[in-house]
């Protein structure tokens, strides 16, 4: 037993490495006593070394390529992907079996609060089957349409997928979308029917749906209950039997694909890599094919599900790599890493995500600008589907215009900024990217292209400058019980949608396909659909290009002065109703002044809606008790003249909280 007395930590740090495997104890007091040896349970321990450092490093060479299986779990939102992942982790002994194992891989606070998966998470499982040790690399993916980019990225590191379908709900819109992502990537699909323990579960009906929609024989479906762990062993068996091992070459030079990355304040960028060729180990000099910068590998390992260092990573395996990348821009998702002086053909990478929704983001206080800039950079490293453009506003100051894949994506990003980086921001109303075809060669020369994209409504060009406007359209898939079909069709028609297809997937479920203008569904379509169908309908959409549309720029005027932050682009047919609603909301939010405020919505020089905020006024007739009417008229006239003069010189300062209330999405109306 070794005890040290000293004033500080210096002597402890000097001697700690020599006392191998020892825990360090801190005894309170003016001169801390530092003890190496077995720790009594009653003492509070403060370890200088983490348990990961003390564990023996894993030897990954004992897993030949034919014993490796890389797979993802894909499904519609809330069909039990993360719960199935928990059971697989328990069955393979990766985590201890306790009652607290609920969505173990959902590590973010926002995921815990909302009960959804936002980030794809990786875990390596070690499984013994028929005397052979297998390495199963599992990737748990999100189920919501806004995070489909996470799914497509995850599939690039896999050879097969588990397609989970709820035995109660059946096939939903995102089930269809995710199946086709896996089908296009030519991956093996194992259909898993989950929640067979529910009272209303009907696995036979779901089997028939899978056979009809996906053309997968019903005898290939595995029926399980992930919550109770029923029949989950057969899923592990199917993974080994039906998913092929990766086609890789360990003798070739290193070729690794970066498919995700996170930022650690102490260790810099941690990249998640899938090795397609070669071997990587600590101390290797590697090069990024994108930036051509050279790094030295500090640590490699697997996620089990927490980081576990290994000696080496071999082709066919999925793990993490730390190479001292300090700048968040250095770790590009889709980048190829190779050994120094051994260049290779870069891997195809990923199709860049196409933003569907744009919103302005500004710090509440301009002094927080640099902190917010740093937070956005670190968060976009972890979520590469967000696009960032610098922006500024007269009322809100300097900020950014960010592009998101959908409204939930925008909300989650905002929530993560607040929770993980303690940043308070103002988020403007979401808009979609429009296009305009310019009319004159002079303008084409000025903009350097014939077709310009507008992401900020304030920069929307005048009708005289363009031949036509284009708006983005999406192909929406709605799956609903047939009794709600009529109501949903009326909702779609009200949103200017065009029906493309209608198909019964079984006796009482219908799949509708519509072509929607994106700006009609971006704010509150999903909420309306859910309330119309009592929550039973599901919705998914994919990009379908652009179409011509009669678009107009609507300005909001306060006493004749345009408020740039409230400019919106709307369809001509809906301009009046949107303008009226905007004026009414402003009337409720604007503080009254000593003069009258006219709130107007205008298209060009034409006023389409108006509301008036009445002035505060003193009762000038209070001192008149009876008397002649002309005396009263004189006092009122003098007051009216004063108000008129005030209105000319009075300046309306719109408070920031008013902007926040008005710019909040219109779904609250």
């Amino acid at each position: 037993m070794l005890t040290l007395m000293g004033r500080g930590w210096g002597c402890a740090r000097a001697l700690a490495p020599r006392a191998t495997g020892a825990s360090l104890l801190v005894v309170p007091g003016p001169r801390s006593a530092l003890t190496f040896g077995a720790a009594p349970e009653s003492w509070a321990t403060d370890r200088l070394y983490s348990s990961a450092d003390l564990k023996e490093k894993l030897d990954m060479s004992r897993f030949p390529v034919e014993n490796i299986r890389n797979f993802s779990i894909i499904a519609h939102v809330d069909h039990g992907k993360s719960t199935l992942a928990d059971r697989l982790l328990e069955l393979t002994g990766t985590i201890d079996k306790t009652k607290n194992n609920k969505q173990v891989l959902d590590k973010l606070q926002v995921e815990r609060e909302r009960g959804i998966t936002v980030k794809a998470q990786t875990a390596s499982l070690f499984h013994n089957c028929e005397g052979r040790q297998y390495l199963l690399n599992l990737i748990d993916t999100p189920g919501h349409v806004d995070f489909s980019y996470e799914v497509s990225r995850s599939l690039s590191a896999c050879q097969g997928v588990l397609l989970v379908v709820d035995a109660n709900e059946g096939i939903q819109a995102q089930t269809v979308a995710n199946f086709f992502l896996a089908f296009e990537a030519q991956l093996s699909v194992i259909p898993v029917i989950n929640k067979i323990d529910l009272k209303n579960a009907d696995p036979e009906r779901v089997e028939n749906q899978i056979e009809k929609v996906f053309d997968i024989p019903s005898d290939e479906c595995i029926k399980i209950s992930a919550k109770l762990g029923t029949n989950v062993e057969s899923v592990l068996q199917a993974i080994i039997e039906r998913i092929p091992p990766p086609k890789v070459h360990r003798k070739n030079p290193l070729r690794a694909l970066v498919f995700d990355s996170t930022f650690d304040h102490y260790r810099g960028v941690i990249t998640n890599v899938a090795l397609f060729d070669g071997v990587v180990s600590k101390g290797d000099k590697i090069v990024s094919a994108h930036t051509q910068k050279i790094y030295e590998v500090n640590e490699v390992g697997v996620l089990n599900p927490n980081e576990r260092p290994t000696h080496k990573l071999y082709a066919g395996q999925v793990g993490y790599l730390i190479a001292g990348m300090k700048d968040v821009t250095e770790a590009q998702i889709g980048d190829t890493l190779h050994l120094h002086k051994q260049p290779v053909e870069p891997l195809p990478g990923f199709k860049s995500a196409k933003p569907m929704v744009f919103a302005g983001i500004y710090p509440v206080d301009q002094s927080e600008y640099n902190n917010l800039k740093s937070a956005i950079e670190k968060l976009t490293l972890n979520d590469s589907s967000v696009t960032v453009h610098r922006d500024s506003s007269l009322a809100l100051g300097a900020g950014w215009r960010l592009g998101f894949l959908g409204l939930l994506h925008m909300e989650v990003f905002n929530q993560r900024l607040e929770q993980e980086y303690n940043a308070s921001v103002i988020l403007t109303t979401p808009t979609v990217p429009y296009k305009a075809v310019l009319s004159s060669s002079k303008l084409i020369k000025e903009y350097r292209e014939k077709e310009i994209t507008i992401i900020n409504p304030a920069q929307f060009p005048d009708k005289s400058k363009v031949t036509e406007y284009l708006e983005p359209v999406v192909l929406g898939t709605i799956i609903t019980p047939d009794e709600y079909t009529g109501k949903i069709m009326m909702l779609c028609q009200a949103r200017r949608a065009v029906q493309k297809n209608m198909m019964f997937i079984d006796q009482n479920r219908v799949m509708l396909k519509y072509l929607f203008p994106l700006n009609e569904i971006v704010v509150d379509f999903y909420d309306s659909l859910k309330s119309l169908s009592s929550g039973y309908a599901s919705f998914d959409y994919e990009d379908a290009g652009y179409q011509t549309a009669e678009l107009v720029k609507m300005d909001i005027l306060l006493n004749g002065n345009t408020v740039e932050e409230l400019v919106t682009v709307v369809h001509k047919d809906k301009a009046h109703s949107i303008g009226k609603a905007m004026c009414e909301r402003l009337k409720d939010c604007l503080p009254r002044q000593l003069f009258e405020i006219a709130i107007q919505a205008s298209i060009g020089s034409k006023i389409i809606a108006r509301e008036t905020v009445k002035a505060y006024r003193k009762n000038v007739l209070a001192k008149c008790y009876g008397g002649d009417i002309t005396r009263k008229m004189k006092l009122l006239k003098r007051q009216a003249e004063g108000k008129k003069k005030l209105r000319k010189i009075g300046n309306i300062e719109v408070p920031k909280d008013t902007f926040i209330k008005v710019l909040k999405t219109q779904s609250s109306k």
Side-chain angles (χ1 to χ4, degrees):
M1 184 102 165
L2 174 63
T3 307
L4 291 172
M5 297 294 290
R7 283 193 177 276
W9 290 93
C11 60
R13 286 215 167 111
L15 283 163
R18 292 168 201 168
T20 52
S23 55
L24 177 73
L25 300 174
V26 183
V27 184
R31 293 170 65 84
S32 297
L34 303 167
T35 307
F36 290 98
E41 286 180 5
S42 58
W43 286 18
T45 61
D46 185 359
R47 293 176 186 271
L48 278 178
Y49 293 101
S50 68
S51 56
D53 293 331
L54 300 174
K55 268 184 193 172
E56 193 183 336
K57 285 190 177 181
L58 288 169
D59 178 18
M60 299 304 286
S61 62
R62 60 196 171 100
F63 299 105
V65 175
E66 58 271 16
N67 287 8
I68 297 174
R69 302 289 183 271
N70 299 325
F71 68 99
S72 274
I73 306 177
I74 58 172
H76 187 77
V77 66
D78 209 24
H79 277 204
K81 293 180 298 301
S82 299
T83 311
L84 175 57
D86 294 345
R87 295 298 84 77
L88 293 174
L89 289 168
E90 285 175 4
L91 268 177
T92 54
T94 310
I95 56 173
D96 296 328
K97 195 170 184 178
T98 67
K99 286 183 180 176
N100 298 331
N101 287 344
K102 288 181 180 173
Q103 288 86 38
V104 174
L105 293 177
D106 290 352
K107 294 171 186 171
L108 298 175
Q109 188 183 337
V110 65
E111 295 179 317
R112 292 273 174 204
E113 285 175 5
R114 289 175 177 260
I116 58 172
T117 305
V118 168
K119 279 293 300 171
Q121 296 289 351
T122 309
S124 295
L125 325 175
F126 309 115
H127 178 55
N128 268 318
C129 180
E130 296 169 4
R132 293 173 77 182
Q133 180 87 351
Y134 285 91
L135 170 66
L136 311 177
N137 292 313
L138 171 156
I139 304 179
D140 181 27
T141 62
H144 198 281
V145 55
D146 285 13
F147 306 108
S148 56
Y149 187 61
E150 287 283 324
V151 180
S152 61
R153 275 213 329 262
S154 305
L155 296 184
S156 67
C158 298
Q159 282 75 48
V161 294
L162 298 179
L163 181 70
V164 181
V165 186
D166 189 324
N168 192 18
E169 302 276 348
I171 286 175
Q172 304 270 289
Q174 197 59 30
T175 319
V176 179
N178 283 343
F179 168 78
F180 283 110
L181 278 177
F183 185 72
E184 282 165 18
Q186 298 180 330
L187 305 182
S188 305
V189 178
I190 302 172
V192 177
I193 298 173
N194 190 17
K195 305 190 186 182
I196 57 167
D197 57 306
L198 292 180
K199 191 171 74 174
N200 298 326
D202 190 352
E204 284 71 33
R205 176 173 64 86
V206 178
E207 275 183 348
N208 295 333
Q209 286 181 8
I210 289 172
E211 193 161 2
K212 184 171 182 183
V213 179
F214 302 141
D215 206 18
I216 299 173
S218 55
D219 56 348
E220 287 187 21
C221 299
I222 304 169
K223 297 172 196 163
I224 66 158
S225 167
K227 189 177 181 182
L228 303 178
T230 314
N231 204 24
V232 178
E233 304 87 355
S234 54
V235 175
L236 277 174
Q237 196 61 36
I239 290 165
I240 290 165
E241 289 171 5
R242 297 198 218 167
I243 294 176
K247 292 175 184 170
V248 293
H249 305 283
R250 291 189 174 175
K251 290 179 181 174
N252 287 4
L254 171 70
R255 221 166 39 136
L257 175 73
V258 177
F259 67 91
D260 204 355
S261 51
T262 49
F263 187 81
D264 185 289
H265 287 286
Y266 304 104
R267 295 181 294 172
V269 177
I270 302 170
T271 56
N272 286 16
V273 291
L275 270 70
F276 283 80
D277 288 315
V279 183
V280 66
S281 58
K282 184 179 175 179
D284 283 354
K285 289 266 198 301
I286 58 165
V287 181
S288 155
H290 177 74
T291 61
Q292 293 301 318
K293 287 190 179 178
I294 303 168
Y295 306 98
E296 186 176 332
V297 178
N298 301 333
E299 188 182 317
V300 291
V302 292
L303 294 153
N304 185 245
N306 298 321
E307 289 167 11
R308 198 163 165 193
T310 64
H311 292 290
K312 295 182 178 184
L313 276 181
Y314 295 85
Q317 295 171 358
V318 175
Y320 72 92
L321 181 146
I322 302 171
M325 297 180 186
K326 294 295 178 197
D327 190 356
V328 290
T329 56
E330 290 174 31
Q332 291 289 327
I333 285 178
D335 193 5
T336 302
L337 303 176
H338 60 84
L339 291 174
H340 184 43
K341 294 183 178 171
Q342 290 186 22
V344 292
E345 181 71 30
L347 293 155
F350 306 110
K351 206 167 56 175
S352 58
K354 192 174 177 191
M356 294 290 207
V357 179
F358 286 87
I361 196 165
Y362 300 90
V364 170
D365 183 357
Q366 278 298 311
S367 63
E368 291 292 309
Y369 179 84
N370 286 334
N371 294 345
L372 184 58
K373 182 184 176 185
S374 164
I376 288 173
E377 279 177 358
K378 286 169 187 169
L379 203 47
T380 47
L381 167 75
N382 192 228
D383 186 355
S384 63
S385 52
V386 179
T387 59
V388 183
H389 300 276
R390 290 281 298 277
D391 199 10
S392 65
S393 140
L394 290 171
L396 303 173
W400 297 268
R401 195 123 196 121
L402 301 186
F404 302 97
L405 300 182
L407 211 64
L408 178 69
H409 187 201
M410 183 179 91
E411 283 175 24
V412 165
F413 189 88
N414 187 25
Q415 202 171 331
R416 285 185 71 185
L417 271 179
E418 287 175 6
Q419 289 173 351
E420 294 172 33
Y421 298 96
N422 209 15
S424 49
V425 297
I426 298 167
L427 208 61
T428 67
T429 192
T431 59
V432 300
Y434 296 101
K435 285 187 177 180
V437 181
L438 300 171
S439 54
S440 69
S441 53
K442 186 183 174 186
L443 287 164
I444 294 167
K445 198 173 181 182
E446 187 185 322
Y447 287 100
R448 295 182 182 172
E449 52 190 344
K450 188 172 170 49
E451 202 173 82
I452 57 166
T453 304
I454 306 125
I455 59 170
N456 191 341
Q459 293 158 0
F460 196 75
D462 191 53
K463 184 82 179 94
S464 60
K465 294 180 179 178
V466 299
T467 50
E468 62 177 358
Y469 295 116
L470 305 169
E471 68 176 348
V473 287
V474 291
L475 184 64
T477 305
I478 301 168
I479 295 182
T480 173
D482 58 355
E483 63 259 34
Y484 304 112
T485 311
K487 287 182 188 173
I488 288 170
M489 282 180 161
M490 284 171 70
L491 172 69
C492 294
Q493 282 166 1
R495 300 300 176 107
R496 300 191 288 124
V498 180
Q499 189 174 337
K500 289 289 175 192
N501 193 6
M502 180 175 171
M503 168 184 150
F504 277 83
I505 56 173
D506 63 13
Q507 286 82 14
N508 54 5
R509 288 175 78 78
V510 186
M511 182 157 75
L512 303 164
K513 283 196 182 281
Y514 274 90
L515 205 59
F516 287 95
L518 181 59
N519 67 341
E520 294 289 345
I521 62 165
V522 87
V523 176
D524 59 351
F525 177 78
Y526 192 68
D527 296 341
S528 308
L529 180 71
K530 284 287 181 191
S531 57
L532 272 183
S533 64
S534 309
Y536 286 112
S538 63
F539 178 64
D540 171 65
Y541 60 82
E542 59 186 86
D543 182 35
Y546 280 78
Q547 70 177 15
T548 56
E550 285 194 68
L551 301 172
V552 287
K553 176 175 151 187
M554 186 174 73
D555 295 310
I556 299 292
L557 312 175
L558 296 181
N559 281 353
N561 298 322
T562 306
V563 185
E564 196 180 286
E565 288 72 33
L566 300 178
V567 174
T568 48
V569 175
V570 292
H571 193 268
K572 199 175 178 181
D573 299 345
K574 297 205 164 187
H576 180 262
S577 58
I578 293 171
K580 196 170 186 330
M582 199 90 160
C583 291
E584 283 170 2
R585 247 193 356 271
L586 257 176
K587 184 186 176 183
D588 296 339
C589 298
L590 270 179
R592 285 172 71 188
Q593 306 284 342
L594 287 169
F595 51 90
E596 196 177 81
I597 304 173
I599 304 165
Q600 296 165 311
S602 75
I603 295 171
S605 57
K606 185 184 176 187
I607 305 296
I608 56 167
R610 173 178 169 137
E611 292 290 335
T612 307
V613 178
K614 294 290 181 196
Y616 282 125
R617 56 190 291 272
K618 181 183 172 187
N619 186 2
V620 289
L621 304 182
K623 60 186 177 184
C624 300
Y625 300 100
D628 189 13
I629 187 73
T630 54
R631 169 81 179 143
K632 292 181 182 177
M633 294 300 290
K634 181 183 170 187
L635 289 169
L636 288 169
K637 189 179 176 188
R638 189 186 293 169
Q639 186 187 36
E641 280 170 0
K643 296 282 180 200
K644 194 174 178 184
K645 191 177 178 184
L646 248 183
R647 193 174 166 188
K648 277 182 186 172
I649 59 170
N651 191 17
I652 305 164
E653 282 272 329
V654 183
K656 236 172 212 181
D657 60 335
T658 303
F659 272 117
I660 298 165
K661 284 176 193 168
V662 174
L663 295 173
K664 280 246 172 95
T665 56
Q666 292 154 28
S667 53
S668 56
K669 274 297 281 180

